[in-house]
Amino acid sequence: MTTSQVDRCVSSLSDPPDPSVAAAPCADGVWHRCHLLPDADPERAIRDGALVVENGRIAWLGAEAELPDDYRHLARHDAHGAWITPGLVDCHTHLVYGGNRANEFAMRLAGASYEDIARAGGGIVSTVRATRDTDEEVLFAQASARLRPLLAEGVTAIEIKSGYGLDLNAERKQLRVARRLGRAFGVTVHTTFLGAHALPPEFAGRADDYIARVCDEMLPALVEEGLVDAVDAFCEGIGFTAAQTERVFDAARRHGVPVKLHAEQLSNLGGAALAARYGAISADHLEHLDEAGVVAMAEAGTVAVLLPGAYYFLRDTQLPPIELLRRHGVPMALATDHNPGTSPVTSLLLMLNMGCTLFRLTVPEVLASVTVHAARALGAADRHGRLAVGRVADFALWQVDTPAELAYWFGRNPLARVVRHGRIFDGPASGDRPGENA
């Protein structure tokens, strides 16, 4: 369990909570006049359902007509016919960083490639400079502004990577801010150490020496401080080789930390198969993934995290091998990949639409991709992604006639309410429903 998780609807936050969290009422009681998608599958929907929350956890769910007598005396929350899904999970973000890279966006439009910008000192390294120069309080304020739109779309769990510090102090600073975001906003934050993201300028020409620093100094210190839930790396021509990635994964294994990988985004270096050999919880991007990599992922149970925001923003033309992933039964998740250089998106709902329109995923696939499978990509399938008795009350109420509307609309947010860690937050569509009735 991460440090941001809570057991009751009134949590003990070491940081002062955001005002919206402090004012949020408790969700305990019976949520009725609703339709339930317990595992986000429209084929297993429970129409005319009810859901009971006690002490910030789900105590019962099913058809409202079957509500046990023991719960009929509890307070009522009228859902006004909303669809209730598990809280959404954004399983791949780089939310904490300094500055932005709008100027590089303009350079790409003028013809420069991602590799051209990186080799010219831009790209990840430019964000590293900005992040190192930004103090923790400013990083927290900037990341808070990026997190709020995601929370307003029903996100209740999110992964936040480091990787823009590339030295111990700056990586620590990023991960500390990520933990603080979870505590302040009452959202589950899974932190990922991405020290092997890029080669810092002080290690130019000495990639192996830098990987030694990542494995022998940075990772042990950050694990000791309780700041690391998973370890990631960028296995790519402009990142790190397969052999260097193995060294990072070996170090993670020594510390008992699960791994994931940025793999096959720009070329095929066999990263997905390598990740699968280490039992990676996910391999992400995957535009250049081949069938051997797909088979390896299927055998290892590794989730394919697809990132249509980056695909769109980079104007890529190489699609991930969706049919191969389907054929071999590899679970597919979608995420924002929020980052300053290649996916400055703060809408997970937009990723649902892009997953359908760009990658040709079906509505059931994209609904599962930000709930059930996204939770698996965090190694948290037992805590997130489904509505189930005993779990912390994290769920979203949508003012829609059919779940397909979550992928159909873009530029519209139909969230009526979201319950995070047993607390109620109104969404932008809350004004579209009638007044509260018992």
Side-chain angles (χ1 to χ4, degrees):
M1 179 174 289
T2 67
T3 58
S4 64
Q5 287 179 291
V6 296
D7 291 332
R8 301 181 67 86
C9 58
V10 179
S11 61
S12 56
L13 302 176
S14 57
D15 279 347
D18 183 82
S20 64
V21 176
C26 186
D28 282 10
V30 178
W31 293 78
H32 69 120
R33 286 217 296 162
C34 61
H35 310 298
L36 304 174
L37 287 180
D39 58 2
D41 185 348
E43 293 298 316
R44 291 194 284 272
I46 301 173
R47 289 185 172 271
D48 301 316
L51 182 151
V52 177
V53 178
E54 285 190 312
N55 296 323
R57 291 182 177 271
I58 297 173
W60 183 88
L61 72 162
E64 184 171 359
E66 299 172 4
L67 180 70
D69 290 340
D70 289 348
Y71 299 124
R72 293 187 180 274
H73 69 285
L74 297 178
R76 294 280 178 134
H77 301 277
D78 191 338
H80 301 286
W83 282 90
I84 297 183
T85 70
L88 304 189
V89 179
D90 194 350
C91 63
H92 182 132
T93 85
H94 307 251
L95 204 69
V96 178
Y97 55 85
N100 67 67
R101 305 218 305 261
N103 60 319
E104 294 175 16
F105 175 60
M107 288 173 64
R108 276 199 298 274
L109 293 176
S113 71
Y114 184 59
E115 291 92 338
D116 291 338
I117 293 169
R119 292 192 177 104
I124 293 170
V125 174
S126 67
T127 300
V128 170
R129 289 193 294 268
T131 303
R132 288 178 175 181
D133 291 342
T134 305
D135 69 37
E136 188 169 319
E137 294 305 318
V138 174
L139 285 176
F140 178 79
Q142 293 176 344
S144 296
R146 300 169 193 135
L147 177 62
R148 286 189 180 98
L150 293 168
L151 300 181
E153 288 191 347
V155 169
T156 60
I158 187 169
E159 186 234 31
I160 301 177
K161 303 178 189 291
S162 65
Y164 289 126
L166 306 186
D167 65 32
L168 178 56
N169 287 336
E171 291 286 301
R172 175 188 287 123
K173 180 170 61 174
Q174 282 190 272
L175 294 169
R176 281 173 52 87
V177 168
R179 288 284 197 234
R180 286 182 62 190
L181 291 168
R183 293 191 297 267
F185 287 91
V187 60
T188 301
V189 171
H190 291 256
T191 54
T192 296
F193 172 55
L194 182 55
H197 194 195
L199 191 63
E202 63 270 23
F203 279 87
R206 297 188 295 128
D208 284 335
D209 290 342
Y210 177 65
I211 290 297
R213 177 73 58 86
V214 167
C215 297
D216 300 336
E217 297 181 28
M218 297 165 69
L219 177 59
L222 296 171
V223 169
E224 177 67 22
E225 293 168 28
L227 294 174
V228 179
D229 296 323
V231 169
D232 196 353
F234 185 31
C235 186
E236 191 54 75
I238 61 171
F240 296 96
T241 66
Q244 291 161 346
T245 300
E246 282 195 77
R247 291 170 60 190
V248 174
F249 284 2
D250 284 335
R253 180 176 283 174
R254 288 194 297 273
H255 291 281
V257 180
V259 299
K260 52 179 61 183
L261 188 64
H262 284 63
E264 275 75 89
Q265 181 185 10
L266 306 173
S267 62
N268 187 348
L269 297 185
L274 166 63
R277 289 202 302 274
Y278 282 82
I281 51 179
S282 76
D284 304 27
H285 284 290
L286 304 177
E287 284 84 351
H288 293 265
L289 179 65
D290 60 15
E291 188 163 12
V294 173
V295 170
M297 290 176 64
E299 292 175 349
T302 299
V303 177
V305 178
L306 309 179
L307 304 169
Y311 176 90
Y312 165 82
F313 197 76
L314 291 172
R315 297 183 294 174
D316 205 344
T317 58
Q318 177 71 38
L319 287 165
I322 303 298
E323 286 303 325
L324 281 176
L325 293 166
R326 283 182 181 137
R327 186 186 313 158
H328 291 282
V330 176
M332 292 180 282
L334 290 173
T336 61
D337 187 22
H338 176 88
N339 74 79
T342 63
S343 189
V345 61
T346 55
S347 173
L348 190 57
L349 291 179
L350 179 59
M351 298 304 95
L352 298 187
N353 182 271
M354 285 188 174
C356 293
T357 58
L358 298 179
F359 293 169
R360 301 296 190 265
L361 298 176
T362 66
V363 167
E365 284 174 332
V366 296
L367 293 176
S369 76
V370 294
T371 53
V372 177
H373 298 326
R376 286 186 61 181
L378 294 181
D382 60 334
R383 301 191 298 279
H384 304 299
R386 298 179 191 270
L387 304 176
V389 172
R391 295 196 178 195
V392 171
D394 283 341
F395 53 86
L397 286 76
W398 307 96
Q399 205 66 39
V400 294
D401 294 325
T402 169
E405 291 184 57
L406 300 184
Y408 169 74
W409 298 108
F410 55 102
R412 176 190 169 195
N413 182 355
L415 182 75
R417 282 184 161 183
V418 61
V419 172
R420 296 198 310 270
H421 290 173
R423 293 182 178 219
I424 305 169
F425 302 84
D426 280 337
S430 60
D432 296 341
R433 58 183 172 78
E436 190 76 16
N437 293 316

